[in-house]
Amino acid sequence: TVAERPAKEFPYTPGLDVNAMDRTADPCEDFYQYTCGGWMKNNPIPPDQAKWSVYGKLYQDNQRFLWGILDGLAKNTAGRNPTQAQIGDFFAACMNEDAVEKLGATPSNQYLASIDALTDKKQLPALMARLHTSLGARGFLMAFSSQQDFADANSVIAGAGAGGLSLPDRDYYLKDDDKSKEIRAKYVAHVQKMFELRGYSPELAAKEAARVMAVETALATASLTRVERRDPHKLFHKMSRAELQALTPNFDWTAYLDGMGVGDVQVINVTEPAFYKAVDARIGDTDLDALKSYLRWHVLHALAPYMSRDFVTADFDFFSKTLRGVPMQKPRWKTCVALVDNELGEALGQEFVSRAFSPELKERTLHMTKQIEKAMEDDIRALAWMDDETKAKALEKLHAIVNKIGYPDRWRDYSSIRVDRGDFVGNVERADRFEIKRQLDKIGQPLDRAEWGMTPPTVNAYFDP
């Protein structure tokens, strides 16, 4: 053991925190409790969290730091630069709960009116394009965006994927155990409650909820399982526009792609062709009123976190408390900090790193990373069991890694997003449109390997092959 050896052999502090252990546990019976029981006892899961860890604690510390930044920029408007004004006003609009309460469900009016105006299924593609570009590209029957070409990792192509479900996974709709049945019953009750909050009678709300469940169950039945989705060969089916149109004769792809602003796209990876056949059959066979019920629900579901407290609470009660076991809602400031980080992450990141991570620290960290890579290279070259050809491949792989430390070298430009202190939901919609367009603009372009997959304040690390 460390304690039995001379101190001079260990001129550093061991990384093991013995206070995190639970010495009363038998490691042969429960090794996790033995190693981590002390930490869990001293760090109970906060009531607004589904899980807790050292990473969660660090992220909460960062959230408080970001709260200080945003609160200051929201209240002290003099002398702000354009980026500071954007994130400060976005946060201020989010924190203005009185204004949000006065609006109630009003933000959903324009979308529900456009759904009510549908008189023919042929109008569906153009409407879906509007909903996708305004409220997100996964909630309305399918998902559409850009993706890497599986056959050419340097290229970005259009991708049409499965979507349209509100529960986390297809199995939630299809498993026959008692727990799954209970969750489905509670989900239908939640959908009904949301329609009632919108002003529907209990009878009509129940009818709407039943229609939603029927459509989503049909979509789930046609979706791949989680295990199947781990096989990239099952998710790669490049098609021409004509081939995709032949696969889904009831859906006008020209109208949809024109509405999405990518009317010139000619090649699309259809991740799950069987799903798209099912979507097309659902469009063909389902009564228009049922499809409209489904679309109305997804509008309410998408906007619920941004509307009045009754919608926020109902959304939390099912999707956080019931599904994830979170007993208490987050305070408003946490919600608003996370939203700014999600919608304007690299703008907020600039303020974060200017206070917490200097260019000098970034350079020192990168230098340390290069030293680690040099040590790995030396190890590979010295391996007795690896031949020269294999070593060359290993070194090629090592040196192909792109290191991203702290924050990107080129910040994302959000200047085209209009942020209004008096228009909270509008700010979210405009930021979402910006991001959806940013993703669609990648189609036909070479892959940008410098793009970051997370924001600078995020407590995490990742490797993206």
Side-chain angles (χ1 to χ4, degrees):
T1 64
V2 172
E4 293 168 343
R5 297 186 183 183
K8 64 182 180 180
E9 290 188 26
F10 295 94
Y12 56 85
T13 302
L16 177 65
D17 179 8
V18 294
N19 294 319
M21 300 171 67
D22 177 4
R23 301 294 184 88
T24 66
D26 183 350
C28 297
E29 293 294 328
D30 190 341
F31 189 69
Y32 184 70
Q33 179 64 30
Y34 176 75
T35 55
C36 301
W39 194 91
M40 290 189 290
K41 179 181 178 181
N42 296 324
N43 296 275
I45 300 175
D48 64 350
Q49 301 291 326
K51 59 183 180 180
W52 200 234
S53 66
V54 290
Y55 293 100
K57 289 186 70 174
L58 284 170
Y59 177 66
Q60 182 163 271
D61 290 344
N62 274 4
Q63 271 202 313
R64 289 187 174 278
F65 188 75
L66 295 173
W67 182 21
I69 293 173
L70 289 169
D71 190 56
L73 292 175
K75 293 175 179 175
N76 305 314
T77 59
R80 299 182 305 181
N81 64 40
T83 297
Q84 292 170 333
Q86 265 196 321
I87 60 177
D89 289 348
F90 200 110
F91 182 76
C94 180
M95 290 295 291
N96 189 350
E97 292 184 85
D98 289 342
V100 174
E101 287 302 308
K102 287 178 183 177
L103 284 176
T106 302
S108 64
N109 287 356
Q110 58 169 316
Y111 300 108
L112 295 180
S114 64
I115 294 169
D116 291 342
L118 275 180
T119 57
D120 192 308
K121 292 178 185 177
K122 292 180 180 178
Q123 300 166 335
L124 189 62
L127 174 61
M128 282 179 53
R130 182 192 173 197
L131 296 175
H132 279 178
T133 53
S134 298
L135 298 176
R138 288 202 65 84
F140 302 90
L141 289 176
M142 62 185 191
F144 186 89
S145 188
S146 58
Q147 65 170 89
Q148 257 177 296
D149 186 341
F150 285 12
D152 177 9
N154 291 310
S155 299
V156 180
I157 61 174
L165 305 181
S166 304
L167 294 175
D169 180 76
R170 72 184 292 278
D171 289 349
Y172 281 78
Y173 296 88
L174 306 177
K175 288 175 70 174
D176 204 36
D177 59 282
D178 290 341
K179 181 66 173 177
S180 296
K181 291 178 181 177
E182 179 187 357
I183 288 177
R184 284 196 290 272
K186 290 181 177 179
Y187 171 57
V188 173
H190 167 67
V191 176
Q192 178 178 340
K193 181 174 183 178
M194 292 286 278
F195 275 109
E196 290 178 14
L197 290 175
R198 188 59 183 79
Y200 286 62
S201 69
E203 295 76 19
L204 183 55
K207 186 176 182 179
E208 294 282 284
R211 287 171 169 173
V212 170
M213 192 62 178
V215 174
E216 292 193 356
T217 301
L219 297 178
T221 303
S223 302
L224 295 179
T225 66
R226 268 190 219 181
V227 174
E228 289 170 332
R229 289 183 59 79
R230 293 187 187 127
D231 181 353
H233 297 284
K234 287 185 168 67
L235 297 175
F236 189 54
H237 311 278
K238 282 172 79 170
M239 295 184 182
S240 66
R241 280 268 289 269
E243 289 172 325
L244 178 55
Q245 189 61 71
L247 180 69
T248 54
N250 292 309
F251 189 84
D252 183 351
W253 280 95
T254 296
Y256 175 77
L257 294 174
D258 285 347
M260 293 288 284
V262 289
D264 57 345
V265 165
Q266 297 300 322
V267 177
I268 302 167
N269 177 37
V270 182
T271 61
E272 301 182 33
F275 175 85
Y276 275 81
K277 286 187 69 174
V279 168
D280 191 70
R282 185 59 36 182
I283 293 172
D285 299 342
T286 303
D287 182 75
L288 179 60
D289 286 339
L291 290 174
K292 291 165 74 170
S293 299
Y294 167 84
L295 294 175
R296 290 187 195 101
W297 155 244
H298 278 276
V299 166
L300 294 176
H301 179 43
L303 288 173
Y306 316 121
M307 295 197 293
S308 55
R309 177 157 292 279
D310 48 357
F311 285 95
V312 173
T313 299
D315 184 71
F316 168 83
D317 284 345
F318 179 76
F319 284 100
S320 292
K321 184 180 287 186
T322 299
L323 281 187
R324 301 174 62 233
V326 180
M328 189 178 80
Q329 292 186 55
K330 291 180 174 65
R332 184 75 179 183
W333 72 262
K334 280 189 178 182
T335 298
C336 294
V337 167
L339 190 60
V340 178
D341 190 29
N342 183 65
E343 301 284 6
L344 302 171
E346 291 193 12
L348 179 57
Q350 292 181 57
E351 293 299 308
F352 176 76
V353 300
S354 70
R355 295 161 168 81
F357 197 73
S358 67
E360 294 76 22
L361 182 54
K362 176 173 180 171
E363 186 57 39
R364 292 207 304 272
T365 309
L366 182 59
H367 176 68
M368 177 185 69
T369 306
K370 290 178 178 178
Q371 288 179 310
I372 293 170
E373 288 187 345
K374 180 62 171 64
M376 293 173 73
E377 178 179 341
D378 293 342
D379 284 348
I380 291 170
R381 294 186 185 281
L383 290 175
W385 55 268
M386 190 180 284
D387 63 28
D388 289 342
E389 183 180 358
T390 307
K391 287 180 181 178
K393 287 292 184 184
L395 292 171
E396 179 184 355
K397 184 175 182 179
L398 173 65
H399 295 310
I401 294 172
V402 176
N403 295 306
K404 298 178 179 179
I405 306 296
Y407 56 90
D409 295 326
R410 184 180 70 253
W411 292 106
R412 193 167 298 158
D413 180 6
Y414 298 101
S415 60
S416 62
I417 303 174
R418 181 173 65 84
V419 175
D420 184 338
R421 288 175 75 98
D423 187 13
F424 169 50
V425 177
N427 294 338
V428 175
E429 290 171 334
R430 288 186 288 273
D432 284 347
R433 288 192 199 105
F434 168 87
E435 178 58 22
I436 290 165
K437 183 179 185 301
R438 192 181 74 84
Q439 295 295 339
L440 292 173
D441 285 347
K442 296 178 182 180
I443 297 172
Q445 301 299 317
L447 182 75
D448 180 6
R449 296 189 183 277
E451 183 177 6
W452 275 53
M454 62 179 65
T455 64
T458 305
V459 181
N460 204 353
Y462 70 99
F463 173 69
D464 182 356

